[in-house]
Amino acid sequence: MDLHLSSTQKIETGAQPVMDDHRRIHPGWLRLMHGLNALAVLILVGSGWRIYNASPLFGFEFPGVITLGGWLGGALNWHFAAMWLLAVNGLLYLLVNLVSGRLWHRFFPLSFHALFVDLRDALHGHLSHADPRRYNMVQKAAYLFVMLDSVLLVISGLVLWKSVQFPLLGELLGGYETARYIHFFAMSALVGFLVIHVAMALLVPRSLLAMIRGR
């Protein structure tokens, strides 16, 4: 889902954007990486819940029907496969965005005041959807958070997978058991973002179509 121009931005810029359905919004490489990331995350979450059930951190387990792998060994195989897909695809995404300058152009600068105004408008259903080619402050903050959260997932996952090989990372995260909690809550935050992201895409279906068609 791409940007919705906020009332604050329209006041500041005086812009009155006009949609052009034939203008490119998302390049092909971005749509491909978006799809691969979505696939990797779904596999990681489903298999991760099965792995969690083998040694729960809290007094509950995830229903088997929403997990992936069938058993602990199968879940680990799915988890590691998707881990490499997410890590490689995510690294390429960051490199392309950095080299092309898209990261700065799309996600910066940030304004806490504009973020507060856009968040307030979003909660009241008043956030404008005039121009899907630009990100509002809520989207900038959310997407940057997902990038950082994904890095935390990878780091904590490495500690859980190869704790002996990455002792420094383990110490930075407070040890193996603490890393389990960090990994769980980072995963929970990512799932929460996905729920909101999908809900917003359904509320503004043209943003979903733009991600599929690129225009």
Side-chain angles (χ1 to χ4, degrees), residues 12-13 114 132 139 196:
E12 291 176 349
T13 62
Q139 288 173 303
I196 297 174

Side-chain angles (χ1 to χ4, degrees), residues 21-205:
D21 290 338
H22 300 290
R23 184 169 180 177
R24 180 173 297 280
I25 298 175
H26 303 299
W29 64 266
L30 176 64
R31 289 181 285 131
L32 175 62
M33 289 184 174
H34 182 273
L36 291 176
N37 275 338
L39 175 63
V41 168
L42 289 176
I43 295 174
L44 284 167
V45 170
S47 59
W49 286 347
R50 172 65 69 174
I51 297 170
Y52 167 91
N53 285 349
S55 181
L57 287 170
F58 305 101
F60 69 89
E61 294 184 3
F62 294 98
V65 69
I66 63 172
T67 65
L68 179 66
W71 62 298
L72 179 58
L76 287 170
N77 288 334
W78 278 107
H79 208 69
F80 291 146
M83 174 196 70
W84 288 112
L85 176 60
L86 181 67
V88 174
N89 192 60
L91 181 60
L92 288 175
Y93 172 82
L94 286 176
L95 288 176
V96 172
N97 274 278
L98 284 171
V99 172
S100 66
R102 184 180 181 275
L103 185 68
W104 176 260
H105 176 71
R106 284 282 188 172
F107 301 103
F108 296 95
L110 293 173
S111 167
F112 287 106
H113 174 71
L115 175 61
F116 173 79
V117 173
D118 284 357
L119 183 59
R120 182 194 61 193
D121 289 347
L123 292 175
H124 288 84
H126 297 155
L127 192 61
S128 173
H129 306 297
D131 188 356
R133 291 166 297 186
R134 300 175 59 190
Y135 292 133
N136 58 46
M137 287 298 167
V138 173
Q139 288 173 303
K140 288 180 180 181
Y143 296 151
L144 287 172
F145 167 78
V146 168
M147 293 181 196
L148 294 175
D149 187 60
S150 297
V151 172
L152 184 59
L153 276 168
V154 171
I155 292 175
S156 58
L158 286 175
V159 174
L160 299 180
W161 180 36
K162 297 286 187 180
S163 57
V164 175
Q165 288 81 352
F166 297 99
L168 180 58
L169 289 180
E171 292 180 9
L172 291 175
L173 294 185
Y176 182 87
E177 287 300 321
T178 303
R180 288 189 67 199
Y181 285 94
I182 292 174
H183 199 69
F184 177 87
F185 286 116
M187 176 275 296
S188 300
L190 182 58
V191 172
F193 166 82
L194 288 176
V195 171
I196 297 174
H197 188 58
V198 171
M200 293 302 296
L202 295 177
L203 289 173
V204 190

